[in-house]
Amino acid sequence: MDELVERVDDQDRVLGVVVSRRQAVREGWLHRVAVTVCRDERGRILVHRRSEQLWRFPGLYEVVVGGAVDVGESYEQAASRELAEELGIRVLPRLLFTFLNRSGLSPHWLGVHEVVVSDVDAVVPDPDEVAWHSWLTELELRSALLEWCFTPDSHEAISRYLTFRTAQS
């Protein structure tokens, strides 16, 4: 069953129109997506490879965990739900920023969150979503971004995330 999303405008305001995610992607309609950068207490970042069975970007690497914001959900609620579904962890991530992302299959508003995972062994990925995962240092991640095939959202989100973190320190 396809996810239902709310269309939003170029200011990220809900328009009151509910459509399927596939239709929003196909038509290029703006909608919301929530993603989370997962760090461990040592500062390493979780990277994973998407399952081959997924219809969007099968087998590509990602540096964020997430998905569409369902009808009536906030960015934070969607990010929390996706973390539980994909990684088996139940936390409330912190929303850092949103931006209009024009990379990927279609334009969408992307809410970028962060969570620090204190027990990396508690991460139990859903094999239908995640084929492989590992924790990389920032240096290892920067190298992987040049060598591995990542989703377009991953490149844009991690670039903005690292810039955001640098500005905050």
Side-chain angles (χ1 to χ4, degrees):
M1 183 174 202
D2 196 15
E3 304 159 289
L4 295 179
V5 298
E6 293 174 293
R7 289 185 58 191
V8 295
D9 67 13
D10 61 355
Q11 299 298 309
D12 197 17
R13 294 179 297 235
V14 175
L15 299 174
V17 178
V18 175
V19 298
S20 75
R21 173 100 187 266
R22 284 183 195 255
Q23 184 179 16
V25 168
R26 184 175 55 249
E27 300 295 334
W29 293 333
L30 292 176
H31 57 287
R32 291 176 172 166
V33 174
V35 297
T36 302
V37 176
C38 299
R39 298 179 78 88
D40 70 4
E41 291 181 329
R42 295 172 31 199
R44 297 178 303 173
I45 297 172
L46 179 76
V47 174
H48 69 277
R49 187 169 43 81
R50 295 171 59 84
S51 167
E52 294 291 341
Q53 288 78 7
L54 296 173
W55 73 277
R56 284 183 301 274
F57 306 115
L60 294 187
Y61 290 90
E62 278 197 303
V63 72
V64 292
V65 175
V69 175
D70 287 345
V71 175
E73 274 187 321
S74 67
Y75 281 110
E76 293 89 345
Q77 290 167 328
S80 182
R81 175 180 48 77
E82 291 288 344
L83 286 167
E85 289 174 6
E86 294 184 25
L87 301 180
I89 56 175
R90 301 204 180 281
V91 294
L92 185 61
R94 180 173 64 110
L95 178 63
L96 302 178
F97 56 89
T98 62
F99 69 96
L100 181 53
N101 185 11
R102 297 200 181 275
S103 63
L105 294 176
S106 71
H108 55 275
W109 277 92
L110 195 62
V112 179
H113 301 74
E114 178 184 57
V115 68
V116 175
V117 178
S118 56
D119 181 7
V120 296
D121 294 329
V123 173
V124 181
D126 176 350
D128 291 336
E129 300 269 351
V130 177
W132 169 91
H133 76 284
S134 187
W135 298 88
L136 303 182
T137 66
E138 190 175 316
L139 185 60
E140 291 168 332
L141 174 59
R142 288 182 187 277
S143 177
L145 286 165
L146 297 173
E147 298 172 20
W148 303 352
C149 292
F150 280 82
T151 64
D153 281 0
S154 285
H155 283 283
E156 187 70 26
I158 199 63
S159 173
R160 289 175 183 255
Y161 171 79
L162 294 172
T163 299
F164 177 86
R165 283 189 49 87
T166 300
Q168 298 300 305
S169 45

